[in-house]
């Protein structure tokens, strides 16, 4: 396969070709990461405003004065949308995956560099369009990140933000789908076609497996969301009625649509929406496996089982979207199938958890910052996963659906666990990407309040959910039983303020280390995979034309009889496991 | 290099992390046991069945939570770097098969056990002779319709919906069956009597949620959804909208009164008179 390495493009000369419209997967990866970093701060700021409003509803907040219910719902919609699409989808896959997939499999670049560049710039435009929704007449949409019609389909008659704001939202999502489809094709092709000599599929790092399977999910999921988005746009602007039934009366006006089905949108949306959970979390699982093995100084426990589990999670993940719809009015018989399939996802998830603990068992664990976040990921994955077992049972879901129990559940597993994966990835790979090491001291200072903080924010949500606290309530005064839950809101808001404050330690560490960090060695963690054989940062074509051959699996730590406790993939048998090349 | 992360610094972090996992595990389990924030008392056989299934799930997931978090805490402390070499192992197929089958049996068994309650609500219709109430959601209020003495719901027409004229559900008074229909803003049902609810929505999707019944069902425009419940304790219970329906979603609230039969009849007569 060595011929495939013929450099697809020359090293660029000017600033614009090098850093803006770059074809280099590494630059594009960093562009995605910086976009996600900007997006996550917007999303986090919105969540802070919401948490403040829930506890002090009459306080004057920046940009909002005293927040109205529609402003709260707009923030909520945009928080969810920004976090799900522009953070959880972009950073772990398009960001870190773009940067490290080609290097870890021994390739010069992604298979389609131009498509890669287009994919990023589509994402960028999509983000700009989404942000524009804040500034148009009526503001951002109030229909939630799930945009259920008819609310999202009939225009501003149903509420503020549902005119221009909602249209921009749909357009932005459609552009984002295009970007994700291009990215998915690129990841799949790269993984299948550009592996270096000796890099069989079963020798790939688990990160590569995770990115590969995530790309397959993205290809199937985003295609459907794109179709749904276009149909919604047609309903809004071309007078079609895919999602709007006849005979609707909104604020005493008869709506001219007829014959559509609101449930059709829910099916299409969740056919994307559930795999999206795995699009967000699978790369984090890959990174966690990678980091745990590195710092436990042990091979991953059950490599093959881990690969099969990723596939099982993805396959099941594609067939369980109906568990979001137990109260929707869909066929109660299909609920039975959706429920059992969903419960089955607990099995490969348990395999992953057991194997992570098995990897640590008997190790010589080095508590670096990336390792702390990887261990945190395992803990959060267990906690967030188990609350899913309640929601997967239709009867038990009834009192919990659309309450804070669900909010706590998906924030732990899809939000925070995935973010821990990203933090782990950042602390682990920063030195490779930027040639300087992040401060370990600041990294640990960042870890502790974050780990404890996220549990203090999201665990109590499960309890107020049990007590029946509906989600998406800007104000808790109209329903009497919510008054007793207000102290819990106060606790969560304080936890959120502390946790958010701690994120500035990360930002400071990130930018300070960029300029002032300790110069990085080639292989500071004494790791085995190919990214640790190239300079930090790697040259334009990664391997300077000398592509490595691979002789073994990715996690050969502590091999008995070897000179060192790590045997890199590229070192031939009998060479004694020396780290040089 | 191998010694650089070992020593007391590593041990302290290991101990700290293990301890925080222990604290997390025990405090979470404690709050679950204490039940400070919890479901309200159930008022139907269905709600009790849901609670039993919830408790079964809680025991199983609680056990897994306890074991997994503490095992994680144990291994990171026990196997902190002490300068030696890790045990070289690629895994253990027997263990792998064992815990895969154990979780499969546990989770799928739990899933099957849960279906009985679901089936009783969704697969079986209301008992014959059940009282019917139509529930209509609209931005941002609930309306309830009782068929009156004839036992028949009259025709409705979306073009007749007019709140100001006192016709929130668009009742067509030209239809004889509509003459005695009673439309109310709060709901009442007689205790210990099966009630069939017929859910509709006039504008966007809403969700009818009564905590004490463990009952939640979306009211979807264009759909007519029939479900049933039997409330067995008298009292007044809050009903809140559980599906985002617009800027007034949080104040789309009403009450469900479960009344003794005679009080219910009196209530219905009073509502009809208004």
């Amino acid at each position: 396969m060595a011929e495939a390495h013929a450099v697809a493009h020359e090293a660029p000369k000017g600033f614009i070709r090098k850093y803006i419209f770059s074809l280099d997967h590494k630059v594009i990866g960093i562009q995605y990461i910086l976009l996600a970093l900007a997006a996550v701060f917007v999303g986090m700021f919105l969540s802070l405003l919401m948490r403040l409003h829930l506890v002090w509803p009459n306080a004057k907040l920046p940009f909002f004065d005293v927040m109205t219910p529609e402003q709260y719902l707009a923030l909520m919609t945009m928080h969810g949308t920004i976090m799900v699409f522009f953070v959880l989808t972009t950073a772990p896959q398009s960001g870190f995956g773009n940067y490290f997939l080609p290097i870890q499999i021994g390739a010069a670049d992604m298979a389609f560099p131009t498509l890669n560049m287009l994919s990023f710039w589509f994402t960028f435009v999509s983000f700009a369009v989404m942000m524009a929704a804040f500034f148009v007449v009526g503001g951002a949409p109030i229909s939630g990140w799930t945009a259920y019609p008819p609310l999202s389909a009939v225009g501003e008659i149903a509420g503020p933000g549902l005119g221009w704001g909602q249209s921009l939202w749909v357009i932005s999502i459609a552009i984002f789908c295009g970007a994700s489809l291009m990215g998915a094709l690129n990841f799949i092709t790269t993984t299948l076609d550009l592996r270096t000599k000796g890099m069989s599929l079963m020798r790939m790092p688990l990160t590569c497996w995770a990115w590969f399977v995530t790309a397959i999910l993205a290809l199937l999921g985003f295609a459907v969301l794109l179709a749904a988005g276009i149909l919604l746009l047609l309903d809004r602007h071309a007078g079609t009625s895919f999602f709007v039934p006849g005979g609707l009366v909104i604020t005493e006006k008869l709506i001219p649509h007829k014959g559509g089905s609101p449930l059709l949108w829910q099916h299409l949306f969740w056919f994307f929406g559930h795999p999206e959970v795995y699009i967000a979390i699978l790369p984090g699982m890959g990174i966690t496996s990678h980091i745990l093995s590195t710092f436990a100084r042990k091979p991953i426990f059950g490599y093959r089982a881990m690969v099969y589990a990723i596939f099982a999670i993805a396959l099941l993940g594609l067939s369980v979207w109906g568990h979001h719809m137990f109260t929707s009015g869909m066929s109660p018989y299909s609920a039975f199938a959706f429920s059992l399939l969903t419960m089955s996802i607990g099995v490969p998830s348990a395999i992953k958890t057991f194997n992570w603990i098995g990897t640590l068992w008997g190790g010589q664990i080095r508590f670096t910052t990336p390792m702390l976040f990887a261990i945190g990921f395992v803990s959060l994955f267990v906690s967030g996963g188990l609350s899913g077992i309640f929601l997967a049972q239709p009867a038990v879901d009834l009192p919990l659906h659309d309450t804070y129990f669900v909010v706590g559940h998906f924030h732990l597993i899809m939000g925070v666990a995935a973010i821990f994966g990203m933090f782990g990835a950042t602390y682990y790979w920063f030195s490779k990407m930027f040639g300087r090491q992040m401060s370990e001291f600041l990294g640990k200072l960042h870890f502790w309040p974050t780990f404890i903080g996220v549990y203090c924010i999201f665990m109590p949500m499960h309890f107020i959910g049990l007590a029946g606290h509906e989600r998406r309530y800007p104000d808790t005064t109209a329903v009497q039983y919510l008054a007793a839950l207000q102290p819990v809101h106060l606790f969560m808001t304080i936890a959120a303020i502390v946790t958010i404050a701690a994120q500035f330690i990360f930002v400071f560490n990130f930018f300070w280390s960029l300029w002032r960090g300790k110069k990085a060695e080639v292989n500071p963690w004494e790791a085995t995979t190919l990214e640790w054989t190239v300079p930090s940062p790697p040259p334009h074509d990664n391997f300077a034309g000398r592509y490595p051959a691979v002789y073994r699996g990715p996690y050969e730590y502590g091999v008995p009889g070897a000179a060192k406790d790590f045997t890199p993939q590229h070192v031939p048998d009998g060479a004694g496991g020396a780290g040089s090349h | 290099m191998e010694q650089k992360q070992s020593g007391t610094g590593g041990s302290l972090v290991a101990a700290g992390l293990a301890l925080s996992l222990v604290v997390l595990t025990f405090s979470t389990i404690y709050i679950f046991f204490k039940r400070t924030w919890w479901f309200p008392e159930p008022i139907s056989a269905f709600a009790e069945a849901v609670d039993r299934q919830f408790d079964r799930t809680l025991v199983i997931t609680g056990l897994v939570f306890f074991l997994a978090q503490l095992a994680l805490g144990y291994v990171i402390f026990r196997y902190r770097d002490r300068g030696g070499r890790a045990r070289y192992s690629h895994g253990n197929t027997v263990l792998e098969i064992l815990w895969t089958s154990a979780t499969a049996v546990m989770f799928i068994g739990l899933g099957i056990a849960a279906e009985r309650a679901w089936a009783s609500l969704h697969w079986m219709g209301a008992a014959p002779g059940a009282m019917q109430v139509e529930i209509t959601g609209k931005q941002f209020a609930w309306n309830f319709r009782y068929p009156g003495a004839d036992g028949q719901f009259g025709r409705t027409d979306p073009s007749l919906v007019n709140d100001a004229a006192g016709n929130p559900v668009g009742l067509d008074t030209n239809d004889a069956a509509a003459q005695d229909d009673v439309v109310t803003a709060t709901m009442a049902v007689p205790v210990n009597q099966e009630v069939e609810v017929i859910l509709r929505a006039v504008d966007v999707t809403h969700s009818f949620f009564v905590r004490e019944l463990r009952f939640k069902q979306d009211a979807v425009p264009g759909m007519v959804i029939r479900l049933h419940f039997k409330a067995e304790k008298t009292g007044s219970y809050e009903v809140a909208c559980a599906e985002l329906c617009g800027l007034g979603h949080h104040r789309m609230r009403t009450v469900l009164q479960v009344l003794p039969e005679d009080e219910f009849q009196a209530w219905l007569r009073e509502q009809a008179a208004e």
Side-chain angles (χ1 to χ4, degrees):
Chain A
M1 243 182 292
E3 301 89 294
H5 293 310
V7 181
H9 46 92
E10 294 297 315
K13 298 285 185 294
F15 179 83
I16 288 187
R17 293 299 293 176
K18 203 167 171 184
Y19 295 111
I20 310 291
F21 296 107
S22 174
L23 299 174
D24 184 338
H25 69 103
K26 297 185 289 299
V27 176
I28 296 170
I30 290 171
Q31 287 175 323
Y32 267 117
I33 290 168
L34 292 179
L35 178 68
L37 195 62
V40 81
F41 269 82
V42 177
M44 197 169 71
F45 180 64
L46 301 183
S47 67
L48 178 64
L49 292 177
M50 286 188 285
R51 289 251 39 108
L52 292 173
H53 175 75
L54 282 171
V55 178
W56 296 288
N58 298 317
K60 295 195 172 192
L61 298 170
F63 301 112
F64 288 96
D65 204 27
V66 174
M67 198 187 290
T68 61
E70 57 270 31
Q71 282 170 338
Y72 177 94
L73 295 175
L75 295 191
M76 179 205 78
T77 301
M78 296 299 271
H79 166 79
T81 306
I82 289 168
M83 291 302 204
V84 168
F85 291 96
F86 297 99
V87 180
L88 298 177
T89 309
T90 55
Q93 176 81 0
S94 311
F96 292 105
N98 235 318
Y99 199 109
F100 286 103
L101 174 70
I103 304 182
Q104 286 192 331
I105 61 171
D109 203 317
M110 295 291 269
F112 309 116
T114 312
L115 202 63
N116 206 13
M117 178 186 77
L118 271 179
S119 160
F120 171 75
W121 284 105
F122 265 60
T123 309
F124 184 86
V125 170
S126 163
F127 187 62
V129 173
M130 188 61 76
M131 289 300 104
F134 277 119
F135 303 102
V136 293
V137 179
I142 62 168
S143 58
W145 85 280
T146 52
Y148 276 13
L151 190 62
S152 64
V154 293
E156 58 208 342
I157 187 168
L162 298 173
W164 269 101
Q166 187 74 59
S167 288
L168 288 176
W169 185 94
V170 184
I171 291 165
S172 164
I173 292 302
I175 298 170
F176 189 91
C177 290
S180 294
L181 290 173
M182 289 189 265
L185 283 172
N186 220 344
F187 272 73
I188 293 170
T189 314
T190 304
T191 311
L192 292 178
D193 278 359
L194 295 189
R195 280 170 290 123
T196 192
K197 189 162 170 261
M199 181 60 86
S200 63
L201 286 171
M202 280 298 174
R203 281 181 180 170
M204 290 201 305
L206 287 170
T207 42
C208 299
W209 273 113
W211 289 321
F212 175 59
V213 175
T214 300
I216 298 173
L217 286 178
L219 191 67
L220 299 170
F222 279 107
V224 172
L225 183 64
L226 177 59
I230 291 170
L231 299 185
L232 184 56
L233 212 54
L234 291 174
D235 270 12
R236 292 177 57 81
H237 296 291
T240 60
S241 296
F242 292 103
F243 306 125
V244 189
L248 292 197
V249 182
I250 299 181
T251 53
E252 315 224 314
K253 281 201 186 63
L254 197 58
I255 302 295
H257 292 269
K258 54 173 165 249
S261 159
L263 256 63
L264 174 61
W265 168 268
Q266 296 186 26
H267 280 291
L268 295 174
F269 182 84
W270 288 115
F271 185 84
F272 147 79
H274 197 74
E276 168 62 26
V277 174
Y278 299 104
I279 290 171
I281 197 81
L282 282 180
M285 291 184 183
I287 289 158
T288 296
S289 306
H290 200 69
I291 294 174
L292 288 180
S293 179
T294 304
F295 296 111
R297 315 307 294 165
K298 267 191 75 203
I300 200 83
F301 190 98
Y303 174 88
R304 275 178 185 275
M306 291 301 250
V307 173
Y308 300 149
I310 293 175
F311 271 98
I313 289 174
L315 195 68
L316 290 168
L318 280 167
S319 45
V320 297
W321 75 90
H323 69 218
H324 297 270
M325 298 171 60
F326 289 149
T327 68
S328 70
M330 72 165 180
S331 159
Y333 303 101
S334 66
F336 180 63
F338 282 126
S339 168
L340 286 192
L341 285 163
T342 307
M343 296 295 272
S344 313
I345 296 189
V347 178
S349 305
I351 293 176
K352 303 230 67 132
T353 307
F354 287 133
N355 286 6
W356 285 325
I357 293 173
T359 302
L360 295 171
W361 196 285
Q364 287 286 333
I365 301 170
R366 297 179 182 174
F367 291 94
T368 60
T369 305
M371 187 60 164
L372 292 181
F373 278 98
I375 294 168
F377 178 100
V378 176
S379 171
L380 289 161
F381 182 74
V382 169
S383 306
L386 286 172
S387 52
I389 295 290
F390 293 87
L391 300 169
Q393 304 171 47
V396 181
D397 179 60
L398 288 185
L400 303 177
H401 186 85
D402 266 323
T403 68
Y404 270 90
F405 190 92
V406 178
V407 180
H409 160 70
F410 73 71
H411 273 92
L412 276 186
I413 191 130
M414 179 194 192
V416 182
I419 288 204
F420 267 52
M422 290 181 231
F423 281 139
T426 309
Y427 285 110
Y428 184 73
W429 280 320
F430 185 90
S431 67
K432 184 56 61 185
M433 299 169 77
F434 300 109
R436 290 175 186 273
Q437 293 216 273
M438 286 181 90
S439 156
E440 274 288 306
F441 171 76
L442 290 177
K444 291 189 165 103
L445 198 65
H446 169 223
F447 170 77
W448 288 104
T450 306
F451 183 61
I452 296 166
V454 293
Y455 267 123
C456 289
I457 301 168
F458 298 112
M459 202 50 112
M461 288 192 182
H462 292 83
F463 296 110
I464 63 172
L466 294 180
H469 196 325
E470 294 81 359
R471 64 191 283 207
R472 297 168 163 171
Y473 271 25
D475 176 323
T476 57
T477 53
V479 176
Q480 286 161 12
Y481 64 74
L482 297 181
L485 307 176
Q486 204 59 21
V488 189
H489 272 308
L490 178 62
F491 177 82
M492 294 189 292
T493 296
I494 292 169
I497 292 170
V498 173
T499 312
I500 287 172
Q503 303 320 303
F504 289 94
I505 304 173
F506 171 77
V507 176
F508 175 78
N509 194 357
F510 190 96
F511 288 104
W512 185 83
S513 304
L514 266 185
W515 318 116
R516 293 293 167 82
K518 203 174 87 189
K519 281 273 188 195
E521 306 156 40
V522 168
N523 188 5
W525 307 123
E526 304 182 308
T528 51
T529 42
L530 293 183
E531 76 268 32
W532 305 110
T533 66
V534 292
S536 312
H540 174 68
D541 65 349
N542 299 339
F543 296 96
R546 299 207 313 277
Y547 295 97
V550 164
Y551 298 92
R552 60 182 60 75
Y555 301 115
E556 290 299 327
Y557 292 97
V559 179
K564 293 194 169 181
D565 86 329
F566 62 108
T567 313
Q569 287 192 281
H570 69 289
V571 176
D573 288 327
S580 63
H581 60 287
Chain B
M1 286 285 280
E2 264 177 48
Q3 277 80 37
K4 83 176 175 192
Q5 271 102 11
S6 62
T8 50
S11 295
L12 250 171
V13 175
L17 195 50
L19 187 69
S20 42
L21 289 171
V22 171
V23 171
L24 159 77
T25 308
F26 282 98
S27 54
T28 305
I29 291 176
Y30 171 75
I31 301 172
F32 266 105
F33 268 99
K34 196 156 168 269
R35 306 200 163 191
T36 307
W37 302 287
W38 204 255
F39 297 113
E41 283 297 304
I43 58 165
S44 68
F46 172 76
E48 284 164 10
V50 169
D51 285 8
R52 277 194 301 277
Q53 182 63 18
F54 182 90
D55 289 343
R56 278 192 282 272
T57 311
L58 188 59
V59 168
I60 288 182
T61 54
L63 198 68
V64 177
F65 178 75
F66 180 81
L67 292 176
Q69 300 284 5
L70 292 190
L72 184 62
Y74 170 75
V75 293
I76 58 179
F77 184 70
R78 170 69 182 78
Y79 298 108
R80 66 193 186 279
D81 183 11
R82 288 188 276 194
R85 205 173 257 205
R87 186 189 307 160
Y88 183 73
S89 156
H90 278 277
N92 183 325
T93 313
V94 176
L95 269 182
E96 204 87 58
I97 291 170
L98 209 67
W99 60 47
T100 304
S101 336
T103 43
V105 169
M106 208 160 62
F107 287 159
I108 298 192
L110 200 57
I112 291 170
E115 293 308 322
R116 187 190 293 263
W118 177 255
S120 74
L121 176 70
H122 272 278
W123 296 10
M124 294 166 211
M131 188 188 94
Q132 289 186 314
V133 185
E134 184 192 73
I135 302 175
T136 306
K138 68 190 286 191
Q139 288 181 331
F140 299 101
W142 293 103
N143 286 109
F144 305 92
R145 182 156 68 121
Y146 296 80
D150 62 355
Q152 302 275 321
F153 287 111
R155 202 165 48 228
T156 58
D157 182 342
S159 64
L160 298 175
V161 171
N162 189 337
D163 282 329
N167 192 358
V169 299
L171 209 57
D172 181 358
T173 43
N174 293 327
D175 180 16
Q179 305 282 346
D180 64 348
D181 286 7
V182 182
V183 178
T184 65
T186 64
M187 185 177 184
V189 296
V191 69
N192 288 325
Q193 195 173 319
E194 178 104 332
V195 178
E196 182 176 47
V197 292
I198 302 161
L199 284 129
R200 304 194 323 163
V202 300
D203 42 31
V204 299
T205 307
H206 305 275
S207 192
F208 183 80
F209 176 32
V210 186
R211 296 184 308 156
E212 291 80 357
L213 291 169
R214 312 287 185 265
F215 184 101
K216 186 180 285 140
Q217 176 59 51
D218 290 2
V220 185
M223 289 177 78
V224 176
I225 297 168
R226 291 166 184 267
L227 284 174
H228 52 96
F229 64 78
K230 185 159 84 174
E232 291 164 354
K233 276 188 193 135
T234 55
S236 179
Y237 309 102
E238 280 186 288
V239 177
C241 183
E243 182 62 67
L244 177 59
C245 59
L247 65 90
H249 171 49
H250 62 284
R251 52 183 161 81
M252 186 165 162
R253 170 201 176 269
T254 184
V255 290
L256 163 68
Q257 294 181 76
V258 179
L259 301 170
E261 174 71 28
D262 52 339
E263 282 181 36
F264 168 73
Q265 293 301 342
W267 176 86
L268 198 55
R269 277 193 302 275
E270 192 183 305
Q271 295 290 323
E274 278 177 16

